[in-house]
PDB file of all heavy atoms in Angstrom:
ATOM      1  N   ALA Z   1     112.249 119.685 100.953  1.00  0.00           N
ATOM      2  CA  ALA Z   1     112.333 121.144 100.981  1.00  0.00           C
ATOM      3  C   ALA Z   1     110.990 121.760 100.674  1.00  0.00           C
ATOM      4  O   ALA Z   1     110.114 121.126 100.087  1.00  0.00           O
ATOM      5  CB  ALA Z   1     113.383 121.604  99.976  1.00  0.00           C
ATOM      6  N   SER Z   2     110.824 123.028 101.067  1.00  0.00           N
ATOM      7  CA  SER Z   2     109.551 123.716 100.823  1.00  0.00           C
ATOM      8  C   SER Z   2     109.281 123.890  99.321  1.00  0.00           C
ATOM      9  O   SER Z   2     108.135 124.041  98.908  1.00  0.00           O
ATOM     10  CB  SER Z   2     109.558 125.061 101.490  1.00  0.00           C
ATOM     11  OG  SER Z   2     110.671 125.855 101.049  1.00  0.00           O
ATOM     12  N   SER Z   3     110.321 123.789  98.515  1.00  0.00           N
ATOM     13  CA  SER Z   3     110.152 123.996  97.061  1.00  0.00           C
ATOM     14  C   SER Z   3     109.860 122.680  96.320  1.00  0.00           C
ATOM     15  O   SER Z   3     109.641 122.718  95.118  1.00  0.00           O
ATOM     16  CB  SER Z   3     111.427 124.623  96.460  1.00  0.00           C
ATOM     17  OG  SER Z   3     112.556 123.805  96.719  1.00  0.00           O
ATOM     18  N   ASP Z   4     109.832 121.570  96.992  1.00  0.00           N
ATOM     19  CA  ASP Z   4     109.718 120.276  96.311  1.00  0.00           C
ATOM     20  C   ASP Z   4     108.327 120.076  95.698  1.00  0.00           C
ATOM     21  O   ASP Z   4     108.195 119.515  94.597  1.00  0.00           O
ATOM     22  CB  ASP Z   4     110.007 119.127  97.267  1.00  0.00           C
ATOM     23  CG  ASP Z   4     111.483 119.006  97.616  1.00  0.00           C
ATOM     24  OD1 ASP Z   4     112.291 119.646  96.915  1.00  0.00           O
ATOM     25  OD2 ASP Z   4     111.846 118.328  98.580  1.00  0.00           O
ATOM     26  N   TYR Z   5     107.286 120.465  96.396  1.00  0.00           N
ATOM     27  CA  TYR Z   5     105.931 120.174  95.963  1.00  0.00           C
ATOM     28  C   TYR Z   5     105.107 121.464  95.960  1.00  0.00           C
ATOM     29  O   TYR Z   5     104.316 121.714  96.853  1.00  0.00           O
ATOM     30  CB  TYR Z   5     105.288 119.106  96.842  1.00  0.00           C
ATOM     31  CG  TYR Z   5     106.205 117.894  97.029  1.00  0.00           C
ATOM     32  CD1 TYR Z   5     106.796 117.662  98.249  1.00  0.00           C
ATOM     33  CD2 TYR Z   5     106.503 117.059  95.973  1.00  0.00           C
ATOM     34  CE1 TYR Z   5     107.654 116.577  98.434  1.00  0.00           C
ATOM     35  CE2 TYR Z   5     107.383 115.988  96.119  1.00  0.00           C
ATOM     36  CZ  TYR Z   5     107.962 115.760  97.380  1.00  0.00           C
ATOM     37  OH  TYR Z   5     108.836 114.696  97.496  1.00  0.00           O
ATOM     38  N   GLN Z   6     105.336 122.281  94.914  1.00  0.00           N
ATOM     39  CA  GLN Z   6     104.710 123.599  94.854  1.00  0.00           C
ATOM     40  C   GLN Z   6     103.709 123.727  93.721  1.00  0.00           C
ATOM     41  O   GLN Z   6     103.178 124.802  93.488  1.00  0.00           O
ATOM     42  CB  GLN Z   6     105.803 124.678  94.689  1.00  0.00           C
ATOM     43  CG  GLN Z   6     106.615 124.903  95.941  1.00  0.00           C
ATOM     44  CD  GLN Z   6     105.784 125.478  97.065  1.00  0.00           C
ATOM     45  OE1 GLN Z   6     105.199 126.579  96.937  1.00  0.00           O
ATOM     46  NE2 GLN Z   6     105.677 124.746  98.150  1.00  0.00           N
ATOM     47  N   THR Z   7     103.468 122.621  93.011  1.00  0.00           N
ATOM     48  CA  THR Z   7     102.462 122.636  91.949  1.00  0.00           C
ATOM     49  C   THR Z   7     101.617 121.377  92.082  1.00  0.00           C
ATOM     50  O   THR Z   7     102.028 120.394  92.688  1.00  0.00           O
ATOM     51  CB  THR Z   7     103.117 122.644  90.541  1.00  0.00           C
ATOM     52  OG1 THR Z   7     103.830 121.385  90.361  1.00  0.00           O
ATOM     53  CG2 THR Z   7     104.096 123.809  90.415  1.00  0.00           C
ATOM     54  N   GLU Z   8     100.417 121.440  91.474  1.00  0.00           N
ATOM     55  CA  GLU Z   8      99.556 120.252  91.535  1.00  0.00           C
ATOM     56  C   GLU Z   8     100.182 119.111  90.781  1.00  0.00           C
ATOM     57  O   GLU Z   8     100.037 117.949  91.141  1.00  0.00           O
ATOM     58  CB  GLU Z   8      98.192 120.604  90.926  1.00  0.00           C
ATOM     59  CG  GLU Z   8      97.333 121.511  91.809  1.00  0.00           C
ATOM     60  CD  GLU Z   8      95.893 121.597  91.346  1.00  0.00           C
ATOM     61  OE1 GLU Z   8      95.476 120.742  90.537  1.00  0.00           O
ATOM     62  OE2 GLU Z   8      95.173 122.505  91.804  1.00  0.00           O
ATOM     63  N   ALA Z   9     100.946 119.420  89.721  1.00  0.00           N
ATOM     64  CA  ALA Z   9     101.588 118.345  88.958  1.00  0.00           C
ATOM     65  C   ALA Z   9     102.635 117.636  89.805  1.00  0.00           C
ATOM     66  O   ALA Z   9     102.732 116.379  89.776  1.00  0.00           O
ATOM     67  CB  ALA Z   9     102.257 118.932  87.707  1.00  0.00           C
ATOM     68  N   SER Z  10     103.420 118.392  90.611  1.00  0.00           N
ATOM     69  CA  SER Z  10     104.421 117.747  91.456  1.00  0.00           C
ATOM     70  C   SER Z  10     103.728 116.931  92.561  1.00  0.00           C
ATOM     71  O   SER Z  10     104.253 115.861  92.959  1.00  0.00           O
ATOM     72  CB  SER Z  10     105.359 118.794  92.081  1.00  0.00           C
ATOM     73  OG  SER Z  10     104.630 119.701  92.919  1.00  0.00           O
ATOM     74  N   CYS Z  11     102.623 117.398  93.044  1.00  0.00           N
ATOM     75  CA  CYS Z  11     101.859 116.613  94.049  1.00  0.00           C
ATOM     76  C   CYS Z  11     101.300 115.351  93.461  1.00  0.00           C
ATOM     77  O   CYS Z  11     101.306 114.291  94.132  1.00  0.00           O
ATOM     78  CB  CYS Z  11     100.736 117.490  94.630  1.00  0.00           C
ATOM     79  SG  CYS Z  11     101.269 118.856  95.662  1.00  0.00           S
ATOM     80  N   GLN Z  12     100.841 115.391  92.246  1.00  0.00           N
ATOM     81  CA  GLN Z  12     100.337 114.194  91.580  1.00  0.00           C
ATOM     82  C   GLN Z  12     101.460 113.188  91.370  1.00  0.00           C
ATOM     83  O   GLN Z  12     101.265 111.979  91.567  1.00  0.00           O
ATOM     84  CB  GLN Z  12      99.696 114.548  90.218  1.00  0.00           C
ATOM     85  CG  GLN Z  12      98.415 115.348  90.314  1.00  0.00           C
ATOM     86  CD  GLN Z  12      97.216 114.538  90.785  1.00  0.00           C
ATOM     87  OE1 GLN Z  12      97.320 113.371  91.152  1.00  0.00           O
ATOM     88  NE2 GLN Z  12      96.033 115.171  90.775  1.00  0.00           N
ATOM     89  N   ARG Z  13     102.625 113.667  90.978  1.00  0.00           N
ATOM     90  CA  ARG Z  13     103.767 112.757  90.820  1.00  0.00           C
ATOM     91  C   ARG Z  13     104.155 112.130  92.142  1.00  0.00           C
ATOM     92  O   ARG Z  13     104.470 110.936  92.220  1.00  0.00           O
ATOM     93  CB  ARG Z  13     104.968 113.522  90.242  1.00  0.00           C
ATOM     94  CG  ARG Z  13     104.818 113.907  88.762  1.00  0.00           C
ATOM     95  CD  ARG Z  13     106.172 114.298  88.181  1.00  0.00           C
ATOM     96  NE  ARG Z  13     106.755 115.448  88.840  1.00  0.00           N
ATOM     97  CZ  ARG Z  13     106.544 116.722  88.479  1.00  0.00           C
ATOM     98  NH1 ARG Z  13     105.760 116.979  87.437  1.00  0.00           N
ATOM     99  NH2 ARG Z  13     107.116 117.722  89.106  1.00  0.00           N
ATOM    100  N   LEU Z  14     104.118 112.929  93.212  1.00  0.00           N
ATOM    101  CA  LEU Z  14     104.442 112.373  94.537  1.00  0.00           C
ATOM    102  C   LEU Z  14     103.435 111.302  94.941  1.00  0.00           C
ATOM    103  O   LEU Z  14     103.814 110.261  95.436  1.00  0.00           O
ATOM    104  CB  LEU Z  14     104.450 113.526  95.579  1.00  0.00           C
ATOM    105  CG  LEU Z  14     104.601 113.067  97.036  1.00  0.00           C
ATOM    106  CD1 LEU Z  14     105.899 112.329  97.244  1.00  0.00           C
ATOM    107  CD2 LEU Z  14     104.494 114.280  97.979  1.00  0.00           C
ATOM    108  N   SER Z  15     102.146 111.569  94.727  1.00  0.00           N
ATOM    109  CA  SER Z  15     101.105 110.612  95.087  1.00  0.00           C
ATOM    110  C   SER Z  15     101.325 109.273  94.365  1.00  0.00           C
ATOM    111  O   SER Z  15     101.234 108.201  94.955  1.00  0.00           O
ATOM    112  CB  SER Z  15      99.734 111.171  94.735  1.00  0.00           C
ATOM    113  OG  SER Z  15      98.710 110.251  95.026  1.00  0.00           O
ATOM    114  N   HIS Z  16     101.648 109.349  93.075  1.00  0.00           N
ATOM    115  CA  HIS Z  16     101.930 108.149  92.295  1.00  0.00           C
ATOM    116  C   HIS Z  16     103.133 107.418  92.791  1.00  0.00           C
ATOM    117  O   HIS Z  16     103.176 106.181  92.888  1.00  0.00           O
ATOM    118  CB  HIS Z  16     102.066 108.520  90.812  1.00  0.00           C
ATOM    119  CG  HIS Z  16     102.218 107.349  89.915  1.00  0.00           C
ATOM    120  ND1 HIS Z  16     103.454 106.842  89.573  1.00  0.00           N
ATOM    121  CD2 HIS Z  16     101.287 106.578  89.265  1.00  0.00           C
ATOM    122  CE1 HIS Z  16     103.277 105.804  88.765  1.00  0.00           C
ATOM    123  NE2 HIS Z  16     101.983 105.631  88.573  1.00  0.00           N
ATOM    124  N   PHE Z  17     104.202 108.174  93.106  1.00  0.00           N
ATOM    125  CA  PHE Z  17     105.444 107.554  93.565  1.00  0.00           C
ATOM    126  C   PHE Z  17     105.229 106.876  94.940  1.00  0.00           C
ATOM    127  O   PHE Z  17     105.739 105.775  95.185  1.00  0.00           O
ATOM    128  CB  PHE Z  17     106.522 108.607  93.672  1.00  0.00           C
ATOM    129  CG  PHE Z  17     107.870 108.123  94.139  1.00  0.00           C
ATOM    130  CD1 PHE Z  17     108.655 107.319  93.309  1.00  0.00           C
ATOM    131  CD2 PHE Z  17     108.343 108.417  95.422  1.00  0.00           C
ATOM    132  CE1 PHE Z  17     109.904 106.847  93.738  1.00  0.00           C
ATOM    133  CE2 PHE Z  17     109.563 107.950  95.856  1.00  0.00           C
ATOM    134  CZ  PHE Z  17     110.330 107.174  94.999  1.00  0.00           C
ATOM    135  N   LEU Z  18     104.494 107.516  95.811  1.00  0.00           N
ATOM    136  CA  LEU Z  18     104.198 106.914  97.119  1.00  0.00           C
ATOM    137  C   LEU Z  18     103.461 105.589  96.934  1.00  0.00           C
ATOM    138  O   LEU Z  18     103.864 104.582  97.514  1.00  0.00           O
ATOM    139  CB  LEU Z  18     103.346 107.881  97.963  1.00  0.00           C
ATOM    140  CG  LEU Z  18     104.069 109.063  98.611  1.00  0.00           C
ATOM    141  CD1 LEU Z  18     103.056 110.076  99.110  1.00  0.00           C
ATOM    142  CD2 LEU Z  18     104.923 108.579  99.761  1.00  0.00           C
ATOM    143  N   GLU Z  19     102.387 105.628  96.168  1.00  0.00           N
ATOM    144  CA  GLU Z  19     101.540 104.445  96.043  1.00  0.00           C
ATOM    145  C   GLU Z  19     102.212 103.302  95.354  1.00  0.00           C
ATOM    146  O   GLU Z  19     102.074 102.142  95.762  1.00  0.00           O
ATOM    147  CB  GLU Z  19     100.254 104.827  95.307  1.00  0.00           C
ATOM    148  CG  GLU Z  19      99.241 103.667  95.189  1.00  0.00           C
ATOM    149  CD  GLU Z  19      97.978 104.097  94.510  1.00  0.00           C
ATOM    150  OE1 GLU Z  19      97.785 105.294  94.326  1.00  0.00           O
ATOM    151  OE2 GLU Z  19      97.190 103.194  94.159  1.00  0.00           O
ATOM    152  N   ASN Z  20     102.994 103.570  94.330  1.00  0.00           N
ATOM    153  CA  ASN Z  20     103.517 102.515  93.474  1.00  0.00           C
ATOM    154  C   ASN Z  20     104.958 102.088  93.773  1.00  0.00           C
ATOM    155  O   ASN Z  20     105.372 100.968  93.414  1.00  0.00           O
ATOM    156  CB  ASN Z  20     103.426 102.944  91.996  1.00  0.00           C
ATOM    157  CG  ASN Z  20     101.981 103.064  91.558  1.00  0.00           C
ATOM    158  OD1 ASN Z  20     101.323 102.072  91.278  1.00  0.00           O
ATOM    159  ND2 ASN Z  20     101.515 104.320  91.468  1.00  0.00           N
ATOM    160  N   THR Z  21     105.732 102.969  94.361  1.00  0.00           N
ATOM    161  CA  THR Z  21     107.163 102.668  94.555  1.00  0.00           C
ATOM    162  C   THR Z  21     107.626 102.765  96.011  1.00  0.00           C
ATOM    163  O   THR Z  21     108.116 101.797  96.606  1.00  0.00           O
ATOM    164  CB  THR Z  21     108.024 103.594  93.677  1.00  0.00           C
ATOM    165  OG1 THR Z  21     107.615 103.473  92.313  1.00  0.00           O
ATOM    166  CG2 THR Z  21     109.494 103.203  93.776  1.00  0.00           C
ATOM    167  N   LEU Z  22     107.463 103.948  96.605  1.00  0.00           N
ATOM    168  CA  LEU Z  22     108.042 104.178  97.920  1.00  0.00           C
ATOM    169  C   LEU Z  22     107.359 103.376  99.022  1.00  0.00           C
ATOM    170  O   LEU Z  22     108.026 102.687  99.796  1.00  0.00           O
ATOM    171  CB  LEU Z  22     108.012 105.676  98.238  1.00  0.00           C
ATOM    172  CG  LEU Z  22     108.667 106.059  99.583  1.00  0.00           C
ATOM    173  CD1 LEU Z  22     110.155 105.689  99.554  1.00  0.00           C
ATOM    174  CD2 LEU Z  22     108.484 107.562  99.833  1.00  0.00           C
ATOM    175  N   ASN Z  23     106.039 103.463  99.121  1.00  0.00           N
ATOM    176  CA  ASN Z  23     105.333 102.782 100.203  1.00  0.00           C
ATOM    177  C   ASN Z  23     105.565 101.267 100.218  1.00  0.00           C
ATOM    178  O   ASN Z  23     105.831 100.709 101.280  1.00  0.00           O
ATOM    179  CB  ASN Z  23     103.849 103.096 100.158  1.00  0.00           C
ATOM    180  CG  ASN Z  23     103.544 104.512 100.612  1.00  0.00           C
ATOM    181  OD1 ASN Z  23     104.429 105.225 101.132  1.00  0.00           O
ATOM    182  ND2 ASN Z  23     102.308 104.940 100.452  1.00  0.00           N
ATOM    183  N   PRO Z  24     105.451 100.582  99.068  1.00  0.00           N
ATOM    184  CA  PRO Z  24     105.724  99.133  99.105  1.00  0.00           C
ATOM    185  C   PRO Z  24     107.139  98.795  99.564  1.00  0.00           C
ATOM    186  O   PRO Z  24     107.312  97.840 100.302  1.00  0.00           O
ATOM    187  CB  PRO Z  24     105.489  98.714  97.641  1.00  0.00           C
ATOM    188  CG  PRO Z  24     104.545  99.724  97.094  1.00  0.00           C
ATOM    189  CD  PRO Z  24     104.932 101.014  97.770  1.00  0.00           C
ATOM    190  N   TYR Z  25     108.110  99.615  99.155  1.00  0.00           N
ATOM    191  CA  TYR Z  25     109.465  99.325  99.581  1.00  0.00           C
ATOM    192  C   TYR Z  25     109.698  99.623 101.051  1.00  0.00           C
ATOM    193  O   TYR Z  25     110.290  98.831 101.779  1.00  0.00           O
ATOM    194  CB  TYR Z  25     110.488 100.093  98.747  1.00  0.00           C
ATOM    195  CG  TYR Z  25     111.903  99.719  99.105  1.00  0.00           C
ATOM    196  CD1 TYR Z  25     112.407  98.445  98.762  1.00  0.00           C
ATOM    197  CD2 TYR Z  25     112.720 100.577  99.836  1.00  0.00           C
ATOM    198  CE1 TYR Z  25     113.687  98.059  99.151  1.00  0.00           C
ATOM    199  CE2 TYR Z  25     113.997 100.195 100.208  1.00  0.00           C
ATOM    200  CZ  TYR Z  25     114.468  98.930  99.867  1.00  0.00           C
ATOM    201  OH  TYR Z  25     115.714  98.549 100.255  1.00  0.00           O
ATOM    202  N   VAL Z  26     109.207 100.769 101.530  1.00  0.00           N
ATOM    203  CA  VAL Z  26     109.327 101.097 102.925  1.00  0.00           C
ATOM    204  C   VAL Z  26     108.652 100.069 103.802  1.00  0.00           C
ATOM    205  O   VAL Z  26     109.199  99.610 104.832  1.00  0.00           O
ATOM    206  CB  VAL Z  26     108.722 102.504 103.217  1.00  0.00           C
ATOM    207  CG1 VAL Z  26     108.511 102.745 104.722  1.00  0.00           C
ATOM    208  CG2 VAL Z  26     109.625 103.567 102.635  1.00  0.00           C
ATOM    209  N   ALA Z  27     107.456  99.607 103.402  1.00  0.00           N
ATOM    210  CA  ALA Z  27     106.728  98.583 104.149  1.00  0.00           C
ATOM    211  C   ALA Z  27     107.532  97.284 104.180  1.00  0.00           C
ATOM    212  O   ALA Z  27     107.572  96.596 105.217  1.00  0.00           O
ATOM    213  CB  ALA Z  27     105.365  98.364 103.531  1.00  0.00           C
ATOM    214  N   ASN Z  28     108.137  96.918 103.066  1.00  0.00           N
ATOM    215  CA  ASN Z  28     108.929  95.686 102.991  1.00  0.00           C
ATOM    216  C   ASN Z  28     110.096  95.749 103.953  1.00  0.00           C
ATOM    217  O   ASN Z  28     110.316  94.811 104.758  1.00  0.00           O
ATOM    218  CB  ASN Z  28     109.421  95.486 101.559  1.00  0.00           C
ATOM    219  CG  ASN Z  28     110.104  94.154 101.378  1.00  0.00           C
ATOM    220  OD1 ASN Z  28     111.078  93.811 102.043  1.00  0.00           O
ATOM    221  ND2 ASN Z  28     109.627  93.379 100.406  1.00  0.00           N
ATOM    222  N   VAL Z  29     110.893  96.808 103.914  1.00  0.00           N
ATOM    223  CA  VAL Z  29     112.048  96.935 104.777  1.00  0.00           C
ATOM    224  C   VAL Z  29     111.649  97.031 106.251  1.00  0.00           C
ATOM    225  O   VAL Z  29     112.259  96.384 107.139  1.00  0.00           O
ATOM    226  CB  VAL Z  29     112.891  98.166 104.400  1.00  0.00           C
ATOM    227  CG1 VAL Z  29     114.022  98.393 105.401  1.00  0.00           C
ATOM    228  CG2 VAL Z  29     113.445  97.992 102.994  1.00  0.00           C
ATOM    229  N   THR Z  30     110.612  97.766 106.550  1.00  0.00           N
ATOM    230  CA  THR Z  30     110.130  97.892 107.937  1.00  0.00           C
ATOM    231  C   THR Z  30     109.708  96.557 108.483  1.00  0.00           C
ATOM    232  O   THR Z  30     110.104  96.159 109.605  1.00  0.00           O
ATOM    233  CB  THR Z  30     108.924  98.875 108.013  1.00  0.00           C
ATOM    234  OG1 THR Z  30     109.307 100.131 107.471  1.00  0.00           O
ATOM    235  CG2 THR Z  30     108.458  99.030 109.451  1.00  0.00           C
ATOM    236  N   ALA Z  31     108.928  95.792 107.697  1.00  0.00           N
ATOM    237  CA  ALA Z  31     108.475  94.485 108.138  1.00  0.00           C
ATOM    238  C   ALA Z  31     109.642  93.493 108.261  1.00  0.00           C
ATOM    239  O   ALA Z  31     109.682  92.653 109.188  1.00  0.00           O
ATOM    240  CB  ALA Z  31     107.435  93.946 107.167  1.00  0.00           C
ATOM    241  N   ALA Z  32     110.589  93.570 107.322  1.00  0.00           N
ATOM    242  CA  ALA Z  32     111.737  92.657 107.393  1.00  0.00           C
ATOM    243  C   ALA Z  32     112.565  92.927 108.653  1.00  0.00           C
ATOM    244  O   ALA Z  32     113.039  91.972 109.295  1.00  0.00           O
ATOM    245  CB  ALA Z  32     112.595  92.849 106.149  1.00  0.00           C
ATOM    246  N   ALA Z  33     112.740  94.186 109.029  1.00  0.00           N
ATOM    247  CA  ALA Z  33     113.456  94.521 110.258  1.00  0.00           C
ATOM    248  C   ALA Z  33     112.756  93.970 111.476  1.00  0.00           C
ATOM    249  O   ALA Z  33     113.363  93.479 112.408  1.00  0.00           O
ATOM    250  CB  ALA Z  33     113.648  96.035 110.341  1.00  0.00           C
ATOM    251  N   VAL Z  34     111.400  94.093 111.487  1.00  0.00           N
ATOM    252  CA  VAL Z  34     110.624  93.547 112.619  1.00  0.00           C
ATOM    253  C   VAL Z  34     110.767  92.022 112.661  1.00  0.00           C
ATOM    254  O   VAL Z  34     111.010  91.449 113.739  1.00  0.00           O
ATOM    255  CB  VAL Z  34     109.136  93.956 112.480  1.00  0.00           C
ATOM    256  CG1 VAL Z  34     108.286  93.201 113.476  1.00  0.00           C
ATOM    257  CG2 VAL Z  34     108.972  95.444 112.622  1.00  0.00           C
ATOM    258  N   LEU Z  35     110.605  91.383 111.525  1.00  0.00           N
ATOM    259  CA  LEU Z  35     110.657  89.916 111.488  1.00  0.00           C
ATOM    260  C   LEU Z  35     112.043  89.403 111.873  1.00  0.00           C
ATOM    261  O   LEU Z  35     112.156  88.459 112.657  1.00  0.00           O
ATOM    262  CB  LEU Z  35     110.297  89.413 110.092  1.00  0.00           C
ATOM    263  CG  LEU Z  35     110.294  87.898 109.904  1.00  0.00           C
ATOM    264  CD1 LEU Z  35     109.269  87.248 110.846  1.00  0.00           C
ATOM    265  CD2 LEU Z  35     109.989  87.557 108.437  1.00  0.00           C
ATOM    266  N   CYS Z  36     113.098  90.031 111.390  1.00  0.00           N
ATOM    267  CA  CYS Z  36     114.438  89.587 111.713  1.00  0.00           C
ATOM    268  C   CYS Z  36     114.686  89.737 113.219  1.00  0.00           C
ATOM    269  O   CYS Z  36     115.270  88.888 113.875  1.00  0.00           O
ATOM    270  CB  CYS Z  36     115.472  90.372 110.931  1.00  0.00           C
ATOM    271  SG  CYS Z  36     117.159  89.773 111.146  1.00  0.00           S
ATOM    272  N   SER Z  37     114.210  90.874 113.792  1.00  0.00           N
ATOM    273  CA  SER Z  37     114.341  91.064 115.221  1.00  0.00           C
ATOM    274  C   SER Z  37     113.650  89.957 115.999  1.00  0.00           C
ATOM    275  O   SER Z  37     114.166  89.443 117.006  1.00  0.00           O
ATOM    276  CB  SER Z  37     113.765  92.416 115.622  1.00  0.00           C
ATOM    277  OG  SER Z  37     113.729  92.604 117.020  1.00  0.00           O
ATOM    278  N   ARG Z  38     112.462  89.540 115.532  1.00  0.00           N
ATOM    279  CA  ARG Z  38     111.730  88.504 116.213  1.00  0.00           C
ATOM    280  C   ARG Z  38     112.379  87.138 116.136  1.00  0.00           C
ATOM    281  O   ARG Z  38     112.539  86.435 117.136  1.00  0.00           O
ATOM    282  CB  ARG Z  38     110.292  88.422 115.645  1.00  0.00           C
ATOM    283  CG  ARG Z  38     109.417  89.614 115.970  1.00  0.00           C
ATOM    284  CD  ARG Z  38     108.039  89.411 115.300  1.00  0.00           C
ATOM    285  NE  ARG Z  38     107.146  90.567 115.471  1.00  0.00           N
ATOM    286  CZ  ARG Z  38     105.966  90.673 114.899  1.00  0.00           C
ATOM    287  NH1 ARG Z  38     105.510  89.682 114.136  1.00  0.00           N
ATOM    288  NH2 ARG Z  38     105.222  91.742 115.082  1.00  0.00           N
ATOM    289  N   VAL Z  39     112.762  86.765 114.901  1.00  0.00           N
ATOM    290  CA  VAL Z  39     113.235  85.388 114.721  1.00  0.00           C
ATOM    291  C   VAL Z  39     114.712  85.199 115.098  1.00  0.00           C
ATOM    292  O   VAL Z  39     115.110  84.097 115.446  1.00  0.00           O
ATOM    293  CB  VAL Z  39     112.997  84.907 113.260  1.00  0.00           C
ATOM    294  CG1 VAL Z  39     111.523  84.977 112.881  1.00  0.00           C
ATOM    295  CG2 VAL Z  39     113.864  85.706 112.275  1.00  0.00           C
ATOM    296  N   LEU Z  40     115.501  86.282 115.057  1.00  0.00           N
ATOM    297  CA  LEU Z  40     116.927  86.152 115.353  1.00  0.00           C
ATOM    298  C   LEU Z  40     117.332  86.713 116.675  1.00  0.00           C
ATOM    299  O   LEU Z  40     118.248  86.194 117.312  1.00  0.00           O
ATOM    300  CB  LEU Z  40     117.754  86.791 114.233  1.00  0.00           C
ATOM    301  CG  LEU Z  40     119.242  86.528 114.209  1.00  0.00           C
ATOM    302  CD1 LEU Z  40     119.538  85.040 113.987  1.00  0.00           C
ATOM    303  CD2 LEU Z  40     119.939  87.351 113.121  1.00  0.00           C
ATOM    304  N   CYS Z  41     116.604  87.745 117.146  1.00  0.00           N
ATOM    305  CA  CYS Z  41     117.036  88.464 118.358  1.00  0.00           C
ATOM    306  C   CYS Z  41     115.980  88.386 119.486  1.00  0.00           C
ATOM    307  O   CYS Z  41     116.055  89.186 120.421  1.00  0.00           O
ATOM    308  CB  CYS Z  41     117.338  89.928 118.021  1.00  0.00           C
ATOM    309  SG  CYS Z  41     118.435  90.171 116.631  1.00  0.00           S
ATOM    310  N   GLN Z  42     115.019  87.509 119.357  1.00  0.00           N
ATOM    311  CA  GLN Z  42     113.970  87.357 120.344  1.00  0.00           C
ATOM    312  C   GLN Z  42     113.193  88.634 120.605  1.00  0.00           C
ATOM    313  O   GLN Z  42     112.639  88.846 121.731  1.00  0.00           O
ATOM    314  CB  GLN Z  42     114.551  86.818 121.677  1.00  0.00           C
ATOM    315  CG  GLN Z  42     115.315  85.495 121.586  1.00  0.00           C
ATOM    316  CD  GLN Z  42     116.762  85.692 121.142  1.00  0.00           C
ATOM    317  OE1 GLN Z  42     117.506  86.443 121.747  1.00  0.00           O
ATOM    318  NE2 GLN Z  42     117.150  85.038 120.064  1.00  0.00           N
ATOM    319  N   GLY Z  43     113.187  89.527 119.664  1.00  0.00           N
ATOM    320  CA  GLY Z  43     112.465  90.783 119.794  1.00  0.00           C
ATOM    321  C   GLY Z  43     113.147  91.763 120.752  1.00  0.00           C
ATOM    322  O   GLY Z  43     112.605  92.826 121.042  1.00  0.00           O
ATOM    323  N   ALA Z  44     114.349  91.412 121.186  1.00  0.00           N
ATOM    324  CA  ALA Z  44     115.035  92.247 122.200  1.00  0.00           C
ATOM    325  C   ALA Z  44     116.260  92.972 121.616  1.00  0.00           C
ATOM    326  O   ALA Z  44     117.101  93.455 122.359  1.00  0.00           O
ATOM    327  CB  ALA Z  44     115.487  91.363 123.363  1.00  0.00           C
ATOM    328  N   GLY Z  45     116.331  93.020 120.302  1.00  0.00           N
ATOM    329  CA  GLY Z  45     117.435  93.709 119.644  1.00  0.00           C
ATOM    330  C   GLY Z  45     117.110  93.893 118.180  1.00  0.00           C
ATOM    331  O   GLY Z  45     116.138  93.357 117.675  1.00  0.00           O
ATOM    332  N   ARG Z  46     117.962  94.622 117.473  1.00  0.00           N
ATOM    333  CA  ARG Z  46     117.783  94.809 116.036  1.00  0.00           C
ATOM    334  C   ARG Z  46     118.889  94.075 115.278  1.00  0.00           C
ATOM    335  O   ARG Z  46     120.001  93.880 115.779  1.00  0.00           O
ATOM    336  CB  ARG Z  46     117.754  96.281 115.657  1.00  0.00           C
ATOM    337  CG  ARG Z  46     119.051  97.014 115.863  1.00  0.00           C
ATOM    338  CD  ARG Z  46     118.982  98.477 115.272  1.00  0.00           C
ATOM    339  NE  ARG Z  46     117.811  99.186 115.685  1.00  0.00           N
ATOM    340  CZ  ARG Z  46     117.714  99.922 116.783  1.00  0.00           C
ATOM    341  NH1 ARG Z  46     118.769 100.006 117.577  1.00  0.00           N
ATOM    342  NH2 ARG Z  46     116.625 100.552 117.109  1.00  0.00           N
ATOM    343  N   CYS Z  47     118.550  93.673 114.061  1.00  0.00           N
ATOM    344  CA  CYS Z  47     119.530  92.967 113.240  1.00  0.00           C
ATOM    345  C   CYS Z  47     120.457  93.950 112.552  1.00  0.00           C
ATOM    346  O   CYS Z  47     120.037  95.050 112.143  1.00  0.00           O
ATOM    347  CB  CYS Z  47     118.806  92.137 112.175  1.00  0.00           C
ATOM    348  SG  CYS Z  47     117.829  90.788 112.854  1.00  0.00           S
TER     349      CYS Z  47
END
């Protein structure tokens, strides 16, 4: 929402959350979906 990040403090918290929690998890799930598609579905489908 437009009200989520309206202060520098909220932006700093977001930056920390992205770097330490969200990005590593999103990258893990994204890569796992790619790998599963490759090894189980020949890259022609999703798991």
